[in-house]
């Protein structure tokens, strides 16, 4: 039934969909390929899994090589295995999506990969089936807003309610009702309101919040006890 | 960064976690291996992906070979890629779980694989990391009850509310409050109550229901508009 014939073997790759958030927009980190095929074209950051590592380890290695970052939340998406997706040799790719705070580490990017952040709304053409991988990651991210908290990885440590709402609006791709958003988000029970206010954007100032990291992690694992459904305006 | 060296190549397998429901219990379909390694031991039904098919196609082929069934709902789970999981050669396996009505096709099983249904509560030892795959499938199934309808694939065409409740109890592994269950399930808006009653189990009889297939499929795709949380008794 099974037979270990080398003719069945394939290359197994990982590709990282690295999503950030800056100036009210979701962003995607792309690299310019400096090798064939598709030299000079935009691509996700990827690499082959070696025999000395698992898929998760390969994805972490690839992410670290590009960003210098360790210890990032990553989630595996279903594998892409169309027969001719890679014109050189049969390659199955397992996409991982990572959420990071893009502002925090813009200067840490490794120059040699010509990495660049693109707004999700203005992505360049990507090689292979990479745009389908991005679409799958965005769909997963959107679904996650209804059952799990989101934002911890994408926002600065202290943020205003408006920033959090902008993040959800960017993920869900629609404007949300402010009062309904506040109520729903506070019901998640993962936010601290800080004593200080942010006063750059309005004279009255806006309260700053931070995530209760333990509660956040717990709810990431368990899921929320209710389904979040935000009202549009 | 990437390099197509044959030393990186691996075997890519699919393994099917085939789940059924019979006499108030979830069941798992296992086969007895008739080849090495682990000859004579219990295993999930699996096989290698070939160069002529995608992962989904390989999973369908494997499922059909064992059950004769086409057109079954299958869902891909994250890949298992521990380095030494297969003692013969480096093999990464992508598990798929399938839900089927085990009563419907017990006689269709292909004899030569010595296939056998085991109650989930009394599983034999499985080879490789197959018991971890089963655990991952059950976890995914449990999570699905909160956001999507479930049962269509596992129940006969007409069923009583008690049968549906038994299915949810088997998946969630706890007893549920009957009245709360009825209310929550009817709110999903995917059930028809039929004019006839089932009268084998009580003198008064129990209403029979069937799924509104279109509504069911639509809610499978979109997810429910609320999160289902059932009360235990």
């Amino acid at each position: 039934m099974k037979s270990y014939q080398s003719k069945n073997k394939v290359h197994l790759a990982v590709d990282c969909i690295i999503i950030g958030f800056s100036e009210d927009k979701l962003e995607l980190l792309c690299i310019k390929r400096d090798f064939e095929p598709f030299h000079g074209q935009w691509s996700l950051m990827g690499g082959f899994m070696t025999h000395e590592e698992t898929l998760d380890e390969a994805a972490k290695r690839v992410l670290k090589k590009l960003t210098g970052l360790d210890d990032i939340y990553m989630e595996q998406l279903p594998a892409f295995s169309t027969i001719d997706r890679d014109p050189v040799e049969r390659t199955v790719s397992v996409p991982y999506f990572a959420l990071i705070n893009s502002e925090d580490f813009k200067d840490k990017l490794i120059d040699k990969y010509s990495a660049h952040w693109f707004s999700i709304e203005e992505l360049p053409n990507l090689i292979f089936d990479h745009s389908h991988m991005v679409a799958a990651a965005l769909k997963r991210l959107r679904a996650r807003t209804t059952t799990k908290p989101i934002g911890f990885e994408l926002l600065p440590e202290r943020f205003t309610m408006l920033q959090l709402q902008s993040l959800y609006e960017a993920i869900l791709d629609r404007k949300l009702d402010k009062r309904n958003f506040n109520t729903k988000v506070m019901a998640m029970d993962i936010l601290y309101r800080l004593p200080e206010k942010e006063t750059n954007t309005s004279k009255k100032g806006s309260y700053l919040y931070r995530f209760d990291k333990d509660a956040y992690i717990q709810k990431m694992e368990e899921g929320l006890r209710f389904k979040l459904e935000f009202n549009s305006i």
Side-chain angles (χ1 to χ4, degrees), chain A:
Chain A
M1 183 161 16
K2 269 193 189 183
S3 105
Y4 295 89
Q5 293 174 36
S6 65
K7 73 173 171 60
N8 283 327
K9 285 185 165 186
V10 294
H11 288 288
L12 196 51
V14 294
D15 282 298
C16 296
I17 301 126
I18 306 169
I19 293 174
F21 181 65
S22 177
E23 290 170 21
D24 294 354
K25 305 271 187 207
L26 289 182
E27 299 182 306
L28 177 72
L29 191 55
C30 301
I31 61 159
K32 199 172 243 174
R33 272 168 84 99
D34 60 354
F35 54 99
E36 294 299 341
F38 304 123
H39 186 282
Q41 296 191 43
W42 292 104
S43 161
L44 296 172
M45 178 81 177
F48 290 119
M49 186 194 74
T50 70
H51 281 195
E52 291 73 41
E53 63 190 356
T54 63
L55 282 165
D56 285 3
E57 286 161 1
K60 277 180 196 159
R61 171 175 57 77
V62 164
L63 184 75
K64 183 161 187 183
K65 206 152 102 178
L66 178 62
T67 63
L69 292 176
D70 255 331
D71 202 23
I72 296 298
Y73 176 78
M74 296 183 90
E75 199 169 315
Q76 194 188 116
L77 295 170
F80 280 62
S81 60
T82 308
I83 294 170
D84 296 322
R85 55 177 299 282
D86 184 323
V88 180
E89 279 200 57
R90 179 80 198 267
T91 302
V92 170
S93 175
V94 178
Y96 279 79
F97 85 87
L99 302 175
I100 64 181
N101 182 338
S102 43
E103 310 242 326
D104 259 12
F105 85 112
K106 277 211 152 109
D107 44 348
K108 287 191 206 135
L109 283 179
I110 310 300
D111 274 349
K112 71 169 174 167
Y113 301 118
S114 317
H116 187 77
W117 285 102
F118 288 94
S119 159
I120 286 289
E121 291 163 15
E122 288 164 2
L123 291 183
N125 284 328
L126 298 175
I127 62 162
F128 298 147
D129 42 15
H130 287 186
S131 5
H132 292 114
M133 293 181 177
V134 175
L138 291 174
K139 195 178 162 195
R140 174 77 63 98
L141 194 58
R142 216 164 279 146
R144 259 187 59 198
T145 61
T146 64
T147 55
K148 293 180 178 185
I150 223 158
F152 183 72
E153 310 87 347
L154 291 158
L155 290 173
E157 200 181 328
R158 303 180 320 153
F159 51 86
T160 65
M161 194 56 84
L162 197 62
Q163 278 176 292
L164 187 60
Q165 180 172 338
S166 301
L167 172 63
Y168 272 82
E169 288 179 338
I171 293 172
L172 295 169
D173 197 20
R174 56 188 168 94
K175 290 282 169 203
L176 302 175
D177 175 72
K178 185 175 161 184
R179 189 194 292 203
N180 170 272
F181 181 81
N182 283 18
T183 311
K184 294 278 171 82
V185 157
M186 291 314 288
M188 281 200 252
D189 219 10
I190 51 166
L191 290 182
Y192 282 126
R193 196 172 83 178
L194 300 172
E196 62 266 40
K197 281 186 168 187
E198 187 273 345
T199 48
N200 296 335
T201 45
S202 78
K203 211 163 125 191
K204 211 177 108 206
S206 311
Y207 279 109
L208 286 163
Y209 294 82
R210 69 176 177 78
F211 288 111
D212 175 344
K213 199 168 176 179
D214 291 337
Y216 189 98
I217 290 169
Q218 198 187 329
K219 296 222 158 118
M220 275 289 292
E221 281 162 14
E222 295 171 358
L224 300 170
R225 288 188 65 81
F226 45 86
K227 181 160 177 182
L228 277 180
E229 186 83 16
F230 298 102
N231 297 347
S232 296
I233 50 169

